[in-house]
Amino acid sequence: MKIEMTSCGSCDDVIERLVTASLDDAWRVTGNATWLMISSAGLAQVRQGWKLHISSRAATFPDLVRTILPVLTAEGCAFKLARSQRVLAELNGGITAPASVGKAVTIYPDQGRVRELGVRLAELLDGWQGPRVLSDRQVRRAAPVYYRYGPFAAEWEYAPGGRLGLLLRGPAGEVADGAATLDYQQPPWAIDPFTGEQASGGGPVAGSQIAGEHYQITKGIRQAARGNVYAAVDLRDGTVVVVKQARALVGEDSAHADARLRLRNERRVLQVLDGVAGIPRFVDHFRHGVDEFLVVSHCGPDNLAEDVLHHGIYRVEDAASSRSLGSLATALVRILSVLHERGVIMRDLSPKNVVIGEAGPSIVDFGIAACDCLYLAGATPGYAPARQHRGESPARADDYFALGLTLLFAATGLDPTYVDGDLELPRTRALQRISADYGTEPPPIIGLAADLMSDSEQVASQAFRSLASGEAGLRQARVRLWPAVPALTAELAAEVADNLLGDLLRHAEELLAIPPGERAGQDASIYDGSSGIGLELLSHLSAEHAGQILVGLAEFSARAAERAKLPPGLFAGATGVHIFLREASAAGVTVPAVAGCLPGPEWEPDGEDLLAGAAGVGLGHLRLSQYGEPAQLDLALRCGRAIIAGTVQAAKVVDGARAAAGADPSAGQAHGLAGVTGFLTALAARTGDELILAAAAERARQLAQRTEPLVDQVVQFTAAPLAVSWCYGLAGIGPVLLLASTVLQDESLGRLARHAAQACIGYLPRIAAPGRCCGAAGVGNFLIDLAVARQEERYWRAAERAGLQILLRSGGTPGHPVFPASFDRSQAGWAAGTAGILSFFRRLANRGGPDNIPLINGT
């Protein structure tokens, strides 16, 4: 037996011991931090097909493995298991990977024996318990054996629009998404081996269901692994209600409390709070199968997080406004006061659990609330105090702390800064944020929010009483010792850049060691992948090991682009990879030989946008043409003329961005008018072509018209953070206007660019994300471009403020920030990770310098 393992630190090895004890030398065991993969040399390599999943509770996982191993080894098929009980408990928690809940074992059977093996396992495991696998169908109701059609090996490919995904390919060239979701999906060509059905689907149809005999579902409010939430109508009296589902055995903790027990606790607390204004009314509690459902009265259309996203922040100073922070605080304090009088501590107050309705705010979701000395473990990261995370007994101060941070969210739109392991960080950064925005004498309501987070229970209680009495505006400010806010000097910016460079080199080494089956091991793009990392590292060739790592990144990028069938595209395609390889070669880095980067005559752009479409491909080849190859410029002209002729589709608007207040994604640089305008303007400047120049001028005029109302909304703080981002907002639009003002000799465009910059500067304290695409580093680079172009010190000062905002949204130290991990974005990449943030601090420390990513800017 050949064993190849990647260390998983402190995880237990019970499952590993069971596996290795059951296998002979014909088997090969490999592993990573999540899975043990078992295969043998004689197995045929199958790309996709029907696979089986076996679900298990973490507590009974070893017994299940003992039971099924003889069957699987006798069958001779490949399979994988969660590496440990701890890993399975995390998977079954439903937070980090919702579609993986219940997938304790995955089996890749011979396609001619799927049904036979599935039925045999279902008979063997009749009566065993495990969470339901939502992406699959169940072989037999009483057994935790499931199946779906999907990829066997994770072979990532690029779909239209530049999205890297797990694609399934049918016999006639059909393409389907192979990624597991929270609903069953079956590709049209596949025949269900258990029912004989073809592409019949399996997900519920909202609006056609009757739940609990009386409640007609009208729409889904939230889909989650632990249970969905629906809006419904009570057919008995026509009232609107909310139906909350708790799925069996999901989110089970060490005491075996799962989502259902939290639902029962919520019912218990709601009955204690019956009749309290601002609390949903308990209506019903019923069971359907093994799941349980709670029905409560409907309190409003949006929670506070959605309300701020759609309508902007709450006003600190304007007490008469319908969106007054003081009014919101008074209403929440009134509700919490009654809760505490009735012996309830909420323990989970946060923007997602405050619902805004016509009658005012309500507090919802009491799954971990404490009442009569009974409570369940749990805490929302960032909003719960350190003592709650440590498992200390509930106290009213838990709700005071969460209220303070919830009020600060309403005033800023910023969730607390939270990095795993640092339980004091949310409070420290919140107080630093207040100090940075208001100095040592903030407005009374903000000062009271700070007091609510105090380590002193007396101070927090007094602040709560002041809010309850309605005297917040009259209360004298308390003398506080505020946490120091770092001054972002050039020296500190250089220190940050130096430390982030070390982090990036380490991230790049880790990337080069990732197996091809993982998503990051296939991503060669500029946006999130290896080419974006490599382009930034070209500015650091003198760093130790940088040259060697760049050689590895070049080989990785070329190989991954070929393996994933990467189509042309700048940020999410092969064009960006070719730019990295060409510029690395020009810098003396050894790069592999690759096929020509010019698309053939049959190539048609995937829309006109900058990320994956004609504008990006054209801009990329315009960049490549600097190496003296006429064909590159010809390709750029081909893209420009296709856009002007209207033979390529307009960019597709992303739904998530459409919902953000004040954002105009179809005007932005990534997917909209700004990206197209910038490319045409750059192409006109390079070629002098009159037709292209005229088209650029017309689009610049349209862009200016779209920008003015966006600036107004940002200035009034009625816009969401995406409105100032590089991808959809002013940080991407501004550089295009700046470039157009020079090329078109139109100073009005330059003035508008500076107005956009001023709006971004005022909005900086409201930006949560640190990265280049959607965050403060993107705004900061726009300000650096202006500082270089205008030679004005005020833009350098503003860029320093952008850097300070990044530090306030990080953990670690001022000189070495540590950023929160993202479940779905690269920790190292250009868009949201270290590479993009490093480029900003490098340019800030050096007072300029190249931005190696092929962006449209005004410098």
Side-chain angles (χ1 to χ4, degrees), residues 229-573:
V229 180
Y230 304 97
V233 173
D234 189 333
L235 297 176
R236 294 169 296 185
D237 57 14
T239 58
V240 178
V241 295
V242 172
V243 179
K244 300 178 63 174
Q245 177 188 31
R247 292 196 172 98
L249 305 177
V250 182
E252 193 173 24
D253 62 20
S254 58
H256 307 310
D258 65 2
R260 294 173 299 178
L261 191 57
R262 286 183 278 275
L263 196 77
R264 294 170 201 163
N265 187 57
E266 180 164 10
R267 170 184 175 166
R268 179 179 73 95
V269 172
L270 289 179
Q271 289 176 316
V272 170
L273 298 175
D274 185 44
V276 176
I279 299 295
R281 177 176 55 85
F282 168 70
V283 176
D284 200 355
H285 181 196
F286 61 89
R287 177 179 292 171
H288 180 76
V290 294
D291 296 344
E292 295 183 21
F293 294 79
L294 182 70
V295 184
V296 299
S297 59
H298 189 271
C299 296
D302 290 329
N303 63 36
L304 181 59
E306 296 162 337
D307 176 65
V308 169
L309 178 67
H310 297 153
H311 305 295
I313 59 175
Y314 282 69
R315 302 294 182 171
V316 173
E317 303 290 355
D318 187 0
S321 169
S322 60
R323 297 185 67 78
S324 160
L325 185 65
S327 298
L328 176 67
T330 299
L332 293 177
V333 167
R334 177 188 56 77
I335 300 170
L336 287 173
S337 295
V338 179
L339 262 64
H340 293 169
E341 289 171 4
R342 296 200 182 187
V344 173
I345 299 173
M346 204 277 171
R347 302 183 68 241
D348 200 15
L349 185 66
S350 68
K352 67 180 176 61
N353 289 337
V354 174
V355 172
I356 307 300
E358 292 183 3
S362 298
I363 296 177
V364 303
D365 201 349
F366 292 86
I368 62 172
C371 180
D372 294 333
C373 299
L374 296 176
Y375 62 95
L376 298 175
T380 295
Y383 287 94
R387 62 180 310 281
Q388 186 173 336
H389 282 282
R390 291 192 293 261
E392 297 180 21
S393 297
R396 291 183 179 186
D398 299 344
D399 288 349
Y400 301 158
F401 183 93
L403 175 61
L405 284 163
T406 298
L407 293 177
L408 289 179
F409 172 86
T412 64
L414 296 178
D415 281 309
T417 303
Y418 181 80
V419 178
D420 286 347
D422 190 343
L423 300 180
E424 299 294 342
L425 184 67
R427 177 178 179 272
T428 300
R429 289 289 186 260
L431 296 178
Q432 287 179 318
R433 174 79 275 156
I434 293 171
S435 180
D437 288 352
Y438 300 107
T440 58
E441 296 186 6
I445 185 68
I446 297 296
L448 288 170
D451 287 352
L452 288 168
M453 295 180 283
S454 174
D455 288 334
S456 167
E457 185 175 350
Q458 180 181 358
V459 170
S461 297
Q462 179 58 49
F464 188 80
R465 288 193 295 271
S466 294
L467 288 168
S469 68
E471 297 176 356
L474 304 175
R475 182 171 179 268
Q476 290 292 321
R478 186 173 66 85
V479 177
R480 301 176 182 85
L481 184 63
W482 297 95
V485 178
L488 188 56
T489 61
E491 292 76 17
L492 180 56
E495 181 183 353
V496 171
D498 186 57
N499 283 315
L500 290 182
L501 173 58
D503 292 343
L504 186 61
L505 290 168
R506 175 173 51 82
H507 288 321
E509 288 182 313
E510 293 168 354
L511 176 65
L512 296 177
I514 289 177
E518 296 188 23
R519 186 188 188 282
Q522 299 283 0
D523 195 343
S525 71
I526 284 179
Y527 190 78
D528 257 341
S530 57
S531 292
I533 296 170
L535 283 167
E536 175 55 27
L537 287 180
L538 288 174
S539 286
H540 307 275
L541 272 170
S542 61
E544 187 176 4
H545 304 308
Q548 178 184 351
I549 289 173
L550 277 162
V551 171
L553 286 172
E555 293 173 350
F556 176 100
S557 299
R559 184 174 62 248
E562 180 180 2
R563 189 165 49 220
K565 302 179 177 63
L566 199 59
L570 179 54
F571 284 88

Side-chain angles (χ1 to χ4, degrees), residues 215 331 556 615 653 700 825 845 854:
Y215 311 104
F556 176 100
V653 176
R825 300 295 297 278

